[in-house]
Amino acid sequence: MEMNPIEKITYEDAMKELEGIVNRLDAGDGTLEESIILFQRGIELTKLCSDKLEEIEMKIRIITEKGEEPFVAEG
Amino acid sequence: MNDVFSVSDLNRYVGEKLAADPLLSAVRVSGEISGLKLYPSGHFYFTLKDQDSQVSCVAFRKNAQCFPFLPENGISVIITARASLYDRDGRFQLIVYQLEKEGIGDIHADFERLKRRLASEGIFDADHKKMIPLLPQRIGVVTSPKGAVISDIIRVLSRRFPNFNLLIYPASVQGLSAAAEIRNGIAWFCEKKNVDVIIIARGGGSAEDLWCFNDETLARTIYHADIPVISAVGHETDYTICDFASDLRAPTPSSAAELVMPIKMQCVDHILSSRKQLSRSLLHFVTRKKNSLLSLSSSRAFLHPRLRVESEWQRLDRLSIRINDSMTHKLSWQRNYVSLFAGRLDALSPLKVLTRGYAIATDQNTGEPITTVNNIYANQKITLRLHDGEVFCRAMSQSEEGTNNGNESY
C-alpha cells in the first residue's frame, strides 16, 4: 500500500483517501493485517481533517500601503 | 377646400395625422442630447440633434423611470418615441418612451468577438480550470472595500465557518482604472502565494458599470494565475469575459462566499461519520473473515484432514484386526507345530521304549548309564529302570557278546 506522508495531505485528499479506505474495507479483500493498517490510516486521516478545520486562524485583513491591516466592514 | 381653420383646429388636425401614422407611432431616432431639463414633476425635456437638425423631445416620468440610465447632455442616444404636435406652441415634438445608449450594439458585437477569440485560444477551456480547494486556509478577495459586497461576503463566511481567514485586495470595480487594478490584485496574490483561492467580486450594475470585467488582459491574467479564481460579478443574469475565464463563476458575491467555504458543522459531522464508518467497516471486515473461516472450517477442504484421520483410524483398526488374526493364526499354528514336535519328542523318549520291555541300566553310585559290559565290575550296584519303576540289582557275572560261554563268574 502506498501512502503519502500524512502531514503533506490536503483536506480534500484526506477525505478522498478516507472514502477509498472505507470502500476497500467494505470490499473485504486483503488480509486482516492490511485491514488493520488501513483502519489506523483512516483514523489518522480523520484526525488530520479535524485538525485542519481548527487550524484556520480567524482573521479579516486588508492590503494597504503599510501592508496588511485589520479590516472592519462598514455598516 | 375654402374652409378656414382656426389655429387650434389646424394643430389638432396635424396632431391627429401624426398620431395616426404607423411609422411615427414608434419611431427610433438617433442623436445627441442637449438642453436637458428635469422638471420637479419628473418629466425630462431635451433636444435631440445631429449635425444639421434638431427635434424637441419630452420623456414623461412614468417612462423616464424605466430608462436604463439617466439622460445627460452631450451623450449619443437612440430614442424610441411617437411623434406629436404640442398644440399650444404648434411645435412638433417626440414623446420618448425608451432610451438606449448609442453604440451599445457595437459594444455587444465587440463582446461577442472577444469572447469567440478567447474561446478559440482556449482561455475558457474546462480542462484548464483549476479545482477550488475544499477548505481554503486563506481566501483572497479583490473588490471594493466599501459597500455591501464585502460585508455580504464576510457575513456569509461567518455563518458557514466561524474561523475563516480573509485577505482583501482593495480595487476599483468600476471605471477606467478598474480592470488594471483587478489584474494587479490577482498578480499580487499569485506572486505572494498567500491565499488558496481568489474571489473577484462586484455587485450588480449596468452593462456599462460591469464593462471593466470584459477586459481581455484581465481574462489572460486569470487564465495564467496559479491560484484558482472565482468570478462573482453582478447579478445572476450578468455574464462577463471574467466569468468565462475564471475557474468558477459564482452568480453573486454572496454565492461566491458559499461556494468557497464549506459549512463547518457539516465538515465536523462528515469527519465523525467517516470515523464511525471506519470502525463499522473494520468490524464488518473482521466479522466477514470470521464467518468465512467458519464456513471454510466446515467445508470439505477443512473437513478433509479429519476424514483422513478417521479413515486412518479405520485402516489401523483393520490392520490391527488382521495382525491379531494372523498372530492368533500363527500362535495356533505354532501350537500345532509344538504338539507335533512334542509327539515326535515323545516318540523319541526312552521312556516310551521302555514300555516295549527295554530297561536302562545305570550305576547306582555314579548314575552313569551302563552301555557296555566291559565297565561292569563284581557286585556293582546297578539300577534298572523299567517303564513303570526301578529294580536295584547287583552284578553277579558278565559275558561278552560272541564268547558263548555264557558267563564269567565273579
Side-chain angles (χ1 to χ4, degrees), chain B residues 76-130:
Chain B
S76 295
V77 294
I78 297 170
I79 58 165
T80 307
R82 64 182 165 84
S84 81
L85 196 80
Y86 184 40
D87 292 358
R88 203 193 70 182
D89 297 349
R91 196 177 69 220
F92 176 68
Q93 64 177 15
L94 296 173
I95 311 295
V96 181
Y97 51 85
Q98 264 179 34
L99 188 68
E100 302 162 46
K101 275 193 183 170
E102 180 157 47
I104 202 90
D106 293 334
I107 287 172
H108 280 302
D110 285 346
F111 174 85
E112 288 302 328
R113 261 198 301 277
L114 177 61
K115 190 179 147 191
R116 266 200 304 277
R117 189 152 49 82
L118 292 175
S120 69
E121 279 182 43
I123 300 291
F124 307 151
D125 276 5
D127 292 353
H128 183 267
K129 297 205 184 295
K130 294 173 280 295

Tab-separated table of all heavy atoms in Angstrom, chain B residues 76-130:
chain	number	residue	atom	x	y	z
B	76	SER	N	-24.688	60.447	-26.920
B	76	SER	CA	-25.439	59.992	-28.089
B	76	SER	C	-26.372	58.875	-27.667
B	76	SER	O	-25.951	57.944	-26.969
B	76	SER	CB	-24.474	59.470	-29.152
B	76	SER	OG	-23.682	60.533	-29.613
B	77	VAL	N	-27.604	59.015	-28.093
B	77	VAL	CA	-28.606	58.027	-27.689
B	77	VAL	C	-29.473	57.638	-28.871
B	77	VAL	O	-29.479	58.303	-29.904
B	77	VAL	CB	-29.520	58.581	-26.555
B	77	VAL	CG1	-28.725	58.800	-25.264
B	77	VAL	CG2	-30.223	59.851	-26.985
B	78	ILE	N	-30.189	56.559	-28.660
B	78	ILE	CA	-31.256	56.196	-29.600
B	78	ILE	C	-32.540	56.240	-28.786
B	78	ILE	O	-32.625	55.582	-27.739
B	78	ILE	CB	-31.043	54.785	-30.182
B	78	ILE	CG1	-29.739	54.734	-30.983
B	78	ILE	CG2	-32.238	54.399	-31.050
B	78	ILE	CD1	-29.323	53.345	-31.398
B	79	ILE	N	-33.468	57.022	-29.254
B	79	ILE	CA	-34.739	57.058	-28.538
B	79	ILE	C	-35.780	56.302	-29.349
B	79	ILE	O	-35.688	56.184	-30.574
B	79	ILE	CB	-35.240	58.519	-28.312
B	79	ILE	CG1	-35.398	59.251	-29.653
B	79	ILE	CG2	-34.302	59.283	-27.366
B	79	ILE	CD1	-36.203	60.529	-29.551
B	80	THR	N	-36.765	55.790	-28.636
B	80	THR	CA	-37.950	55.255	-29.290
B	80	THR	C	-39.079	56.170	-28.855
B	80	THR	O	-39.234	56.419	-27.652
B	80	THR	CB	-38.213	53.799	-28.860
B	80	THR	OG1	-37.008	53.064	-29.075
B	80	THR	CG2	-39.354	53.176	-29.635
B	81	ALA	N	-39.798	56.686	-29.807
B	81	ALA	CA	-40.767	57.733	-29.470
B	81	ALA	C	-41.933	57.722	-30.447
B	81	ALA	O	-41.898	57.036	-31.468
B	81	ALA	CB	-40.069	59.090	-29.503
B	82	ARG	N	-42.952	58.464	-30.070
B	82	ARG	CA	-44.036	58.719	-31.029
B	82	ARG	C	-44.062	60.235	-31.307
B	82	ARG	O	-43.740	61.043	-30.415
B	82	ARG	CB	-45.376	58.213	-30.512
B	82	ARG	CG	-45.907	58.889	-29.276
B	82	ARG	CD	-47.236	58.254	-28.836
B	82	ARG	NE	-47.541	58.661	-27.459
B	82	ARG	CZ	-48.142	59.811	-27.152
B	82	ARG	NH1	-48.487	60.669	-28.102
B	82	ARG	NH2	-48.388	60.104	-25.882
B	83	ALA	N	-44.440	60.549	-32.511
B	83	ALA	CA	-44.469	61.964	-32.909
B	83	ALA	C	-45.773	62.616	-32.451
B	83	ALA	O	-46.824	61.980	-32.443
B	83	ALA	CB	-44.338	62.073	-34.420
B	84	SER	N	-45.697	63.867	-32.040
B	84	SER	CA	-46.917	64.595	-31.673
B	84	SER	C	-46.703	66.090	-31.931
B	84	SER	O	-45.584	66.522	-32.203
B	84	SER	CB	-47.294	64.329	-30.209
B	84	SER	OG	-46.524	65.138	-29.344
B	85	LEU	N	-47.769	66.804	-31.859
B	85	LEU	CA	-47.680	68.246	-32.034
B	85	LEU	C	-48.148	68.889	-30.736
B	85	LEU	O	-49.233	68.582	-30.235
B	85	LEU	CB	-48.565	68.708	-33.198
B	85	LEU	CG	-48.255	70.107	-33.687
B	85	LEU	CD1	-47.031	70.092	-34.612
B	85	LEU	CD2	-49.460	70.687	-34.408
B	86	TYR	N	-47.338	69.768	-30.199
B	86	TYR	CA	-47.723	70.450	-28.982
B	86	TYR	C	-48.663	71.575	-29.393
B	86	TYR	O	-48.247	72.563	-30.027
B	86	TYR	CB	-46.474	70.961	-28.267
B	86	TYR	CG	-46.745	71.603	-26.924
B	86	TYR	CD1	-47.696	71.064	-26.041
B	86	TYR	CD2	-46.061	72.757	-26.542
B	86	TYR	CE1	-47.941	71.654	-24.808
B	86	TYR	CE2	-46.297	73.353	-25.319
B	86	TYR	CZ	-47.249	72.797	-24.453
B	86	TYR	OH	-47.506	73.379	-23.251
B	87	ASP	N	-49.929	71.394	-29.056
B	87	ASP	CA	-50.981	72.275	-29.542
B	87	ASP	C	-50.680	73.748	-29.282
B	87	ASP	O	-50.827	74.585	-30.177
B	87	ASP	CB	-52.320	71.931	-28.861
B	87	ASP	CG	-52.832	70.583	-29.311
B	87	ASP	OD1	-52.159	69.953	-30.170
B	87	ASP	OD2	-53.870	70.134	-28.811
B	88	ARG	N	-50.271	74.016	-28.032
B	88	ARG	CA	-50.167	75.405	-27.622
B	88	ARG	C	-49.165	76.177	-28.462
B	88	ARG	O	-49.419	77.282	-28.903
B	88	ARG	CB	-49.772	75.486	-26.153
B	88	ARG	CG	-50.166	76.799	-25.498
B	88	ARG	CD	-49.484	76.952	-24.166
B	88	ARG	NE	-48.039	77.179	-24.315
B	88	ARG	CZ	-47.215	77.309	-23.298
B	88	ARG	NH1	-47.643	77.178	-22.058
B	88	ARG	NH2	-45.938	77.528	-23.516
B	89	ASP	N	-47.998	75.533	-28.700
B	89	ASP	CA	-46.943	76.218	-29.456
B	89	ASP	C	-46.944	75.821	-30.925
B	89	ASP	O	-46.173	76.376	-31.707
B	89	ASP	CB	-45.558	75.906	-28.877
B	89	ASP	CG	-45.403	76.396	-27.467
B	89	ASP	OD1	-46.280	77.156	-26.995
B	89	ASP	OD2	-44.416	75.994	-26.812
B	90	GLY	N	-47.750	74.858	-31.267
B	90	GLY	CA	-47.708	74.322	-32.620
B	90	GLY	C	-46.352	73.730	-32.934
B	90	GLY	O	-45.861	73.769	-34.062
B	91	ARG	N	-45.800	73.126	-31.889
B	91	ARG	CA	-44.434	72.646	-32.049
B	91	ARG	C	-44.429	71.122	-32.183
B	91	ARG	O	-45.061	70.409	-31.404
B	91	ARG	CB	-43.609	73.092	-30.841
B	91	ARG	CG	-42.114	72.997	-31.085
B	91	ARG	CD	-41.340	73.520	-29.888
B	91	ARG	NE	-41.466	72.654	-28.750
B	91	ARG	CZ	-41.606	73.078	-27.497
B	91	ARG	NH1	-41.659	74.362	-27.236
B	91	ARG	NH2	-41.705	72.214	-26.515
B	92	PHE	N	-43.695	70.718	-33.175
B	92	PHE	CA	-43.523	69.270	-33.390
B	92	PHE	C	-42.588	68.717	-32.317
B	92	PHE	O	-41.544	69.290	-32.018
B	92	PHE	CB	-42.921	69.060	-34.782
B	92	PHE	CG	-42.603	67.637	-35.111
B	92	PHE	CD1	-43.624	66.699	-35.288
B	92	PHE	CD2	-41.282	67.227	-35.252
B	92	PHE	CE1	-43.321	65.387	-35.606
B	92	PHE	CE2	-40.983	65.905	-35.561
B	92	PHE	CZ	-42.007	64.988	-35.747
B	93	GLN	N	-42.963	67.580	-31.709
B	93	GLN	CA	-42.110	67.005	-30.648
B	93	GLN	C	-42.226	65.484	-30.626
B	93	GLN	O	-43.171	64.904	-31.175
B	93	GLN	CB	-42.466	67.593	-29.284
B	93	GLN	CG	-43.879	67.256	-28.828
B	93	GLN	CD	-44.197	67.792	-27.440
B	93	GLN	OE1	-43.481	68.647	-26.903
B	93	GLN	NE2	-45.265	67.304	-26.844
B	94	LEU	N	-41.293	64.892	-29.999
B	94	LEU	CA	-41.291	63.426	-29.835
B	94	LEU	C	-41.527	63.092	-28.365
B	94	LEU	O	-40.870	63.663	-27.487
B	94	LEU	CB	-39.952	62.828	-30.286
B	94	LEU	CG	-39.617	62.993	-31.780
B	94	LEU	CD1	-38.191	62.520	-32.064
B	94	LEU	CD2	-40.617	62.209	-32.632
B	95	ILE	N	-42.492	62.194	-28.153
B	95	ILE	CA	-42.741	61.695	-26.790
B	95	ILE	C	-41.897	60.430	-26.631
B	95	ILE	O	-42.168	59.413	-27.271
B	95	ILE	CB	-44.241	61.357	-26.574
B	95	ILE	CG1	-45.162	62.499	-27.036
B	95	ILE	CG2	-44.499	60.957	-25.120
B	95	ILE	CD1	-45.040	63.787	-26.242
B	96	VAL	N	-40.867	60.524	-25.796
B	96	VAL	CA	-39.871	59.433	-25.696
B	96	VAL	C	-40.350	58.386	-24.696
B	96	VAL	O	-40.746	58.729	-23.580
B	96	VAL	CB	-38.510	60.008	-25.238
B	96	VAL	CG1	-37.454	58.914	-25.149
B	96	VAL	CG2	-38.058	61.115	-26.177
B	97	TYR	N	-40.373	57.166	-25.088
B	97	TYR	CA	-40.667	56.141	-24.085
B	97	TYR	C	-39.561	55.090	-23.934
B	97	TYR	O	-39.636	54.243	-23.060
B	97	TYR	CB	-42.056	55.525	-24.253
B	97	TYR	CG	-42.437	55.019	-25.624
B	97	TYR	CD1	-42.094	53.748	-26.048
B	97	TYR	CD2	-43.181	55.828	-26.474
B	97	TYR	CE1	-42.479	53.285	-27.291
B	97	TYR	CE2	-43.560	55.370	-27.737
B	97	TYR	CZ	-43.192	54.100	-28.131
B	97	TYR	OH	-43.566	53.662	-29.360
B	98	GLN	N	-38.544	55.153	-24.763
B	98	GLN	CA	-37.391	54.274	-24.497
B	98	GLN	C	-36.118	55.012	-24.829
B	98	GLN	O	-36.099	55.837	-25.756
B	98	GLN	CB	-37.465	52.995	-25.340
B	98	GLN	CG	-38.071	51.817	-24.593
B	98	GLN	CD	-38.148	50.584	-25.482
B	98	GLN	OE1	-37.289	50.358	-26.325
B	98	GLN	NE2	-39.195	49.803	-25.286
B	99	LEU	N	-35.092	54.699	-24.056
B	99	LEU	CA	-33.820	55.379	-24.248
B	99	LEU	C	-32.708	54.331	-24.231
B	99	LEU	O	-32.648	53.490	-23.345
B	99	LEU	CB	-33.630	56.374	-23.101
B	99	LEU	CG	-32.456	57.344	-23.196
B	99	LEU	CD1	-32.659	58.353	-24.318
B	99	LEU	CD2	-32.289	58.086	-21.870
B	100	GLU	N	-31.847	54.355	-25.238
B	100	GLU	CA	-30.686	53.449	-25.258
B	100	GLU	C	-29.460	54.284	-25.524
B	100	GLU	O	-29.545	55.336	-26.137
B	100	GLU	CB	-30.776	52.441	-26.418
B	100	GLU	CG	-31.991	51.569	-26.453
B	100	GLU	CD	-32.157	50.968	-27.851
B	100	GLU	OE1	-31.155	50.472	-28.414
B	100	GLU	OE2	-33.278	51.014	-28.382
B	101	LYS	N	-28.321	53.768	-25.090
B	101	LYS	CA	-27.089	54.462	-25.439
B	101	LYS	C	-26.698	54.034	-26.844
B	101	LYS	O	-26.703	52.840	-27.147
B	101	LYS	CB	-25.973	54.079	-24.466
B	101	LYS	CG	-26.016	54.943	-23.224
B	101	LYS	CD	-24.763	54.809	-22.402
B	101	LYS	CE	-24.923	55.636	-21.140
B	101	LYS	NZ	-23.851	55.390	-20.173
B	102	GLU	N	-26.358	54.976	-27.650
B	102	GLU	CA	-25.919	54.626	-28.996
B	102	GLU	C	-24.556	53.938	-28.914
B	102	GLU	O	-23.729	54.263	-28.082
B	102	GLU	CB	-25.809	55.866	-29.872
B	102	GLU	CG	-25.349	55.474	-31.257
B	102	GLU	CD	-25.739	56.500	-32.310
B	102	GLU	OE1	-25.520	57.685	-32.063
B	102	GLU	OE2	-26.257	56.066	-33.352
B	103	GLY	N	-24.390	52.981	-29.805
B	103	GLY	CA	-23.107	52.264	-29.804
B	103	GLY	C	-23.148	51.028	-28.935
B	103	GLY	O	-22.249	50.214	-28.973
B	104	ILE	N	-24.220	50.881	-28.125
B	104	ILE	CA	-24.330	49.703	-27.267
B	104	ILE	C	-24.369	48.445	-28.128
B	104	ILE	O	-23.833	47.412	-27.750
B	104	ILE	CB	-25.557	49.796	-26.328
B	104	ILE	CG1	-25.385	48.887	-25.108
B	104	ILE	CG2	-26.865	49.462	-27.038
B	104	ILE	CD1	-24.720	49.553	-23.957
B	105	GLY	N	-24.955	48.573	-29.280
B	105	GLY	CA	-24.996	47.459	-30.225
B	105	GLY	C	-23.593	47.062	-30.634
B	105	GLY	O	-23.246	45.882	-30.654
B	106	ASP	N	-22.765	48.041	-30.878
B	106	ASP	CA	-21.375	47.780	-31.250
B	106	ASP	C	-20.609	47.140	-30.096
B	106	ASP	O	-19.796	46.257	-30.302
B	106	ASP	CB	-20.688	49.085	-31.652
B	106	ASP	CG	-21.272	49.646	-32.932
B	106	ASP	OD1	-21.809	48.834	-33.727
B	106	ASP	OD2	-21.214	50.859	-33.114
B	107	ILE	N	-20.919	47.619	-28.876
B	107	ILE	CA	-20.257	47.062	-27.689
B	107	ILE	C	-20.589	45.573	-27.561
B	107	ILE	O	-19.716	44.756	-27.317
B	107	ILE	CB	-20.671	47.847	-26.428
B	107	ILE	CG1	-19.993	49.221	-26.436
B	107	ILE	CG2	-20.295	47.077	-25.170
B	107	ILE	CD1	-20.463	50.157	-25.362
B	108	HIS	N	-21.855	45.234	-27.772
B	108	HIS	CA	-22.244	43.818	-27.711
B	108	HIS	C	-21.521	43.009	-28.769
B	108	HIS	O	-21.082	41.885	-28.502
B	108	HIS	CB	-23.761	43.677	-27.855
B	108	HIS	CG	-24.493	43.956	-26.588
B	108	HIS	ND1	-24.246	43.249	-25.440
B	108	HIS	CD2	-25.439	44.880	-26.274
B	108	HIS	CE1	-25.018	43.715	-24.471
B	108	HIS	NE2	-25.737	44.715	-24.939
B	109	ALA	N	-21.400	43.605	-29.937
B	109	ALA	CA	-20.687	42.901	-31.008
B	109	ALA	C	-19.221	42.700	-30.623
B	109	ALA	O	-18.662	41.620	-30.833
B	109	ALA	CB	-20.790	43.692	-32.309
B	110	ASP	N	-18.627	43.743	-30.021
B	110	ASP	CA	-17.239	43.634	-29.555
B	110	ASP	C	-17.099	42.508	-28.529
B	110	ASP	O	-16.147	41.737	-28.560
B	110	ASP	CB	-16.795	44.946	-28.884
B	110	ASP	CG	-16.526	46.034	-29.914
B	110	ASP	OD1	-16.434	45.687	-31.113
B	110	ASP	OD2	-16.411	47.204	-29.508
B	111	PHE	N	-18.066	42.485	-27.613
B	111	PHE	CA	-18.063	41.465	-26.559
B	111	PHE	C	-18.070	40.057	-27.162
B	111	PHE	O	-17.259	39.204	-26.811
B	111	PHE	CB	-19.290	41.671	-25.652
B	111	PHE	CG	-19.490	40.606	-24.611
B	111	PHE	CD1	-18.829	40.667	-23.391
B	111	PHE	CD2	-20.360	39.534	-24.842
B	111	PHE	CE1	-19.026	39.696	-22.433
B	111	PHE	CE2	-20.545	38.553	-23.886
B	111	PHE	CZ	-19.873	38.635	-22.672
B	112	GLU	N	-18.973	39.850	-28.103
B	112	GLU	CA	-19.080	38.531	-28.732
B	112	GLU	C	-17.801	38.174	-29.500
B	112	GLU	O	-17.361	37.026	-29.467
B	112	GLU	CB	-20.299	38.483	-29.671
B	112	GLU	CG	-21.644	38.454	-28.950
B	112	GLU	CD	-21.804	37.279	-27.985
B	112	GLU	OE1	-21.244	36.190	-28.256
B	112	GLU	OE2	-22.467	37.452	-26.947
B	113	ARG	N	-17.230	39.175	-30.171
B	113	ARG	CA	-15.990	38.934	-30.917
B	113	ARG	C	-14.856	38.520	-29.980
B	113	ARG	O	-14.154	37.551	-30.240
B	113	ARG	CB	-15.589	40.198	-31.689
B	113	ARG	CG	-15.972	40.177	-33.160
B	113	ARG	CD	-15.182	41.221	-33.949
B	113	ARG	NE	-15.405	42.574	-33.423
B	113	ARG	CZ	-16.462	43.342	-33.739
B	113	ARG	NH1	-17.375	42.881	-34.572
B	113	ARG	NH2	-16.602	44.559	-33.234
B	114	LEU	N	-14.732	39.294	-28.871
B	114	LEU	CA	-13.670	38.997	-27.899
B	114	LEU	C	-13.879	37.607	-27.293
B	114	LEU	O	-12.933	36.824	-27.149
B	114	LEU	CB	-13.678	40.070	-26.791
B	114	LEU	CG	-12.670	39.864	-25.651
B	114	LEU	CD1	-11.232	39.872	-26.174
B	114	LEU	CD2	-12.844	40.945	-24.575
B	115	LYS	N	-15.110	37.324	-26.960
B	115	LYS	CA	-15.446	36.036	-26.347
B	115	LYS	C	-15.068	34.881	-27.282
B	115	LYS	O	-14.445	33.895	-26.857
B	115	LYS	CB	-16.947	36.000	-26.043
B	115	LYS	CG	-17.385	34.837	-25.188
B	115	LYS	CD	-18.873	34.927	-24.931
B	115	LYS	CE	-19.478	33.540	-24.830
B	115	LYS	NZ	-20.934	33.591	-24.846
B	116	ARG	N	-15.407	35.043	-28.570
B	116	ARG	CA	-15.094	33.999	-29.557
B	116	ARG	C	-13.592	33.813	-29.711
B	116	ARG	O	-13.096	32.693	-29.754
B	116	ARG	CB	-15.706	34.373	-30.919
B	116	ARG	CG	-17.080	33.758	-31.165
B	116	ARG	CD	-17.408	33.749	-32.651
B	116	ARG	NE	-17.325	35.080	-33.237
B	116	ARG	CZ	-18.291	35.990	-33.198
B	116	ARG	NH1	-19.438	35.715	-32.608
B	116	ARG	NH2	-18.136	37.180	-33.742
B	117	ARG	N	-12.896	34.947	-29.730
B	117	ARG	CA	-11.452	34.887	-29.931
B	117	ARG	C	-10.766	34.198	-28.746
B	117	ARG	O	-9.925	33.304	-28.919
B	117	ARG	CB	-10.889	36.297	-30.117
B	117	ARG	CG	-9.450	36.349	-30.553
B	117	ARG	CD	-9.144	37.612	-31.348
B	117	ARG	NE	-9.636	38.817	-30.682
B	117	ARG	CZ	-8.976	39.453	-29.696
B	117	ARG	NH1	-7.830	38.979	-29.280
B	117	ARG	NH2	-9.476	40.545	-29.153
B	118	LEU	N	-11.141	34.591	-27.543
B	118	LEU	CA	-10.530	33.997	-26.343
B	118	LEU	C	-10.893	32.515	-26.231
B	118	LEU	O	-10.059	31.700	-25.849
B	118	LEU	CB	-10.973	34.762	-25.083
B	118	LEU	CG	-10.430	36.195	-24.957
B	118	LEU	CD1	-11.034	36.889	-23.749
B	118	LEU	CD2	-8.905	36.201	-24.855
B	119	ALA	N	-12.129	32.207	-26.602
B	119	ALA	CA	-12.559	30.806	-26.557
B	119	ALA	C	-11.717	29.970	-27.521
B	119	ALA	O	-11.276	28.867	-27.182
B	119	ALA	CB	-14.041	30.700	-26.901
B	120	SER	N	-11.472	30.526	-28.722
B	120	SER	CA	-10.708	29.766	-29.719
B	120	SER	C	-9.253	29.600	-29.280
B	120	SER	O	-8.580	28.656	-29.678
B	120	SER	CB	-10.781	30.460	-31.077
B	120	SER	OG	-10.053	31.666	-31.041
B	121	GLU	N	-8.784	30.509	-28.446
B	121	GLU	CA	-7.419	30.382	-27.902
B	121	GLU	C	-7.352	29.397	-26.739
B	121	GLU	O	-6.260	29.075	-26.263
B	121	GLU	CB	-6.939	31.749	-27.391
B	121	GLU	CG	-6.426	32.665	-28.458
B	121	GLU	CD	-5.930	33.966	-27.845
B	121	GLU	OE1	-5.249	33.915	-26.802
B	121	GLU	OE2	-6.239	35.031	-28.409
B	122	GLY	N	-8.496	28.993	-26.241
B	122	GLY	CA	-8.512	28.033	-25.127
B	122	GLY	C	-8.533	28.679	-23.754
B	122	GLY	O	-8.382	27.991	-22.742
B	123	ILE	N	-8.742	29.998	-23.718
B	123	ILE	CA	-8.735	30.714	-22.433
B	123	ILE	C	-9.886	30.247	-21.519
B	123	ILE	O	-9.768	30.286	-20.300
B	123	ILE	CB	-8.848	32.252	-22.673
B	123	ILE	CG1	-7.672	32.761	-23.515
B	123	ILE	CG2	-8.957	33.032	-21.376
B	123	ILE	CD1	-6.321	32.753	-22.836
B	124	PHE	N	-10.984	29.767	-22.137
B	124	PHE	CA	-12.140	29.348	-21.324
B	124	PHE	C	-12.202	27.816	-21.159
B	124	PHE	O	-13.194	27.308	-20.643
B	124	PHE	CB	-13.458	29.810	-21.984
B	124	PHE	CG	-13.516	31.282	-22.313
B	124	PHE	CD1	-14.281	31.725	-23.384
B	124	PHE	CD2	-12.830	32.212	-21.545
B	124	PHE	CE1	-14.357	33.079	-23.685
B	124	PHE	CE2	-12.898	33.573	-21.843
B	124	PHE	CZ	-13.657	34.014	-22.920
B	125	ASP	N	-11.178	27.102	-21.615
B	125	ASP	CA	-11.253	25.634	-21.637
B	125	ASP	C	-11.509	25.039	-20.247
B	125	ASP	O	-10.846	25.404	-19.276
B	125	ASP	CB	-9.947	25.050	-22.188
B	125	ASP	CG	-9.949	25.026	-23.707
B	125	ASP	OD1	-10.922	25.553	-24.286
B	125	ASP	OD2	-8.979	24.508	-24.295
B	126	ALA	N	-12.436	24.120	-20.217
B	126	ALA	CA	-12.779	23.453	-18.955
B	126	ALA	C	-11.585	22.652	-18.427
B	126	ALA	O	-11.381	22.558	-17.222
B	126	ALA	CB	-13.979	22.540	-19.175
B	127	ASP	N	-10.785	22.096	-19.348
B	127	ASP	CA	-9.617	21.295	-18.957
B	127	ASP	C	-8.608	22.116	-18.165
B	127	ASP	O	-7.875	21.581	-17.351
B	127	ASP	CB	-8.888	20.780	-20.218
B	127	ASP	CG	-9.727	19.776	-20.961
B	127	ASP	OD1	-10.783	19.399	-20.413
B	127	ASP	OD2	-9.345	19.386	-22.079
B	128	HIS	N	-8.563	23.398	-18.502
B	128	HIS	CA	-7.559	24.262	-17.867
B	128	HIS	C	-8.010	24.748	-16.498
B	128	HIS	O	-7.202	25.239	-15.716
B	128	HIS	CB	-7.265	25.447	-18.790
B	128	HIS	CG	-6.204	26.362	-18.271
B	128	HIS	ND1	-6.495	27.482	-17.520
B	128	HIS	CD2	-4.851	26.287	-18.339
B	128	HIS	CE1	-5.365	28.075	-17.174
B	128	HIS	NE2	-4.363	27.373	-17.659
B	129	LYS	N	-9.282	24.593	-16.210
B	129	LYS	CA	-9.798	25.172	-14.964
B	129	LYS	C	-9.255	24.429	-13.747
B	129	LYS	O	-9.178	23.203	-13.738
B	129	LYS	CB	-11.330	25.178	-14.981
B	129	LYS	CG	-11.858	26.059	-16.110
B	129	LYS	CD	-13.240	26.588	-15.852
B	129	LYS	CE	-13.770	27.379	-17.041
B	129	LYS	NZ	-13.011	28.605	-17.309
B	130	LYS	N	-8.843	25.201	-12.768
B	130	LYS	CA	-8.253	24.635	-11.546
B	130	LYS	C	-9.366	24.296	-10.551
B	130	LYS	O	-10.420	24.919	-10.547
B	130	LYS	CB	-7.279	25.646	-10.934
B	130	LYS	CG	-6.057	25.896	-11.826
B	130	LYS	CD	-5.180	27.004	-11.305
B	130	LYS	CE	-5.692	28.388	-11.637
B	130	LYS	NZ	-5.719	28.727	-13.061
